[in-house]
Amino acid sequence: MKQSRLRSTPGGRAGLLLLAGVLALTACTKTQDRVFFDGQYFRTKAKHTSDDRQSFTVRVPRITKGLAAAREAGRYEGTRYCVENFGTSEIAWVNGPDADEAALRINGTTLLLDGRCVLW
């Protein structure tokens, strides 16, 4: 009877178990680090918009959970981006969370916020 390569490779099982453990630990950490806004969790993402890393866009999907909460989730993500990358929490919003509702940039059910980290 033919054995699988994983079983015949020394340390194959140990490597697989180690990988599974790391993935499980990563998943637990992410769940514990979640920040909720009005009881809702938003999977926000901030990315720089060009080679100039100070300028960024925040994507806040599923704003149907609550627009006010989505705005605050976007503000939080923008602040986190600037603190992690530049050590500052000051943001010059181009299209920010405090804009009038009619002026917000919304693509389907995703709120898009644009800002620039302010350096001293």
Side-chain angles (χ1 to χ4, degrees):
M1 189 181 265
K2 197 172 189 177
Q3 289 184 342
S4 71
R5 294 192 93 171
L6 182 61
R7 290 184 181 172
S8 64
T9 305
R13 280 187 171 165
L16 184 60
L17 289 173
L18 179 63
L19 178 61
V22 169
L23 290 174
L25 182 60
T26 303
C28 291
T29 303
K30 288 183 180 180
T31 301
Q32 292 173 352
D33 290 343
R34 287 184 177 178
V35 178
F36 292 83
F37 300 89
D38 290 338
Q40 300 296 321
Y41 172 70
F42 295 88
R43 290 185 155 222
T44 58
K45 179 72 175 167
K47 283 181 76 171
H48 59 91
T49 54
S50 64
D51 288 339
D52 176 15
R53 295 184 61 83
Q54 282 179 256
S55 296
F56 63 91
T57 296
V58 176
R59 297 179 54 83
V60 185
R62 304 177 88 192
I63 62 172
T64 53
K65 293 179 179 182
L67 184 57
R71 287 178 187 232
E72 291 311 311
R75 182 190 320 273
Y76 176 84
E77 185 66 19
T79 302
R80 193 171 75 92
Y81 175 86
C82 290
V83 168
E84 287 180 0
N85 289 287
F86 301 101
T88 181
S89 62
E90 191 171 343
I91 299 171
W93 290 104
V94 176
N95 177 34
D98 295 324
D100 291 333
E101 189 171 333
L104 289 174
R105 205 170 84 172
I106 297 174
N107 183 2
T109 61
T110 301
L111 174 64
L112 302 169
L113 304 174
D114 301 299
R116 182 169 173 79
C117 302
V118 177
L119 304 180
W120 300 301

